[in-house]
Amino acid sequence: TFRYCPYSLVHNNRIVANVSVNPLEFAVEGEVCRTLQIGTVMTDPDYRGKGLSRVLIELILKEHREKYDLIYLYANASVREFYPRFGFKKAEEYVYSKTYTGKSVYRFKKLDCSLKKDRELLLRLLQNNTVSAKYTLINNAYLPMFHLTSYLAECIYYCEELDLAAAVEYGDSDMYVNEIFSTGAFSMEDVISSLLDQPERRVIFGFTPLDTA
């Protein structure tokens, strides 16, 4: 099964337009949802205004529309009028947050993704991750591994007692918990509280918790 496929238009041995697709499976409240994410939509500036992206998107939808439960993409403000032409509909995006006070229950250490042993530990967690969010990527450890070992490489903390890792960014005012990976069940309250670097923090989640209260 392919994991990433670019659709490209070539002119004079030069790629002038591209749209890529990425098949992903999510556990959604106990059900498996087969999805296709569209991304890397790009056209060479010299070739814009010729409908090249439209040709590629129409081809992708023709080939994949019946194979997946959902086809989705993220669009910035400049192209919000473009994608509805193909049947895409705007979806509301929600962000969950909560203010926590410190009561350290577990000890965490920072992982070093330049070390092979730490990368292997992280990959093992991703491959054996338990569902701890309402929408959880499954059967694909390599996509989150890409993000965790690149721009989030300095933000990963591990608790040996729980066999759990969390990708956490500490901002000036807020703390961002991008994701949590664990091989077993855990208390979200205790984990978040143990990760606080201040007595009290507003914590913003990068996922939808199982308990959204």
Side-chain angles (χ1 to χ4, degrees), residues 33-107:
C33 181
R34 299 179 68 249
T35 75
L36 190 76
Q37 182 180 353
I38 293 178
T40 326
V41 181
M42 302 183 294
T43 302
D44 187 299
D46 294 339
Y47 290 80
R48 289 176 184 169
K50 303 180 185 297
L52 302 187
S53 292
R54 175 181 55 79
V55 170
L56 292 174
I57 292 175
E58 287 178 347
L59 174 61
I60 288 168
L61 293 178
K62 180 180 178 181
E63 290 189 0
H64 297 286
R65 192 190 302 272
E66 303 302 320
K67 300 177 184 178
Y68 294 92
D69 301 313
L70 173 71
I71 298 178
Y72 73 99
L73 52 83
Y74 295 99
N76 59 40
S78 66
V79 290
R80 283 181 186 159
E81 303 303 318
F82 176 66
Y83 292 108
R85 302 173 191 173
F86 304 98
F88 287 96
K89 298 179 180 179
K90 178 182 176 182
E92 294 295 333
E93 194 169 10
Y94 296 88
V95 177
Y96 292 87
S97 65
K98 181 179 177 179
T99 299
Y100 286 82
T101 55
K103 55 168 186 175
S104 184
V105 179
Y106 301 109
R107 293 183 61 184

Side-chain angles (χ1 to χ4, degrees), residues 138-153:
I138 58 174
N139 301 324
N140 187 339
Y142 299 99
L143 180 60
M145 192 70 177
F146 168 76
H147 295 291
L148 293 170
T149 57
S150 54
Y151 67 92
L152 288 172

Side-chain angles (χ1 to χ4, degrees), residues 11-35:
H11 183 244
N12 292 335
N13 289 325
R14 174 183 174 188
I15 293 179
V16 298
N18 181 85
V19 179
S20 296
V21 296
N22 194 13
L24 302 169
E25 287 185 328
F26 289 88
V28 181
E29 299 186 11
E31 301 289 333
V32 175
C33 181
R34 299 179 68 249
T35 75

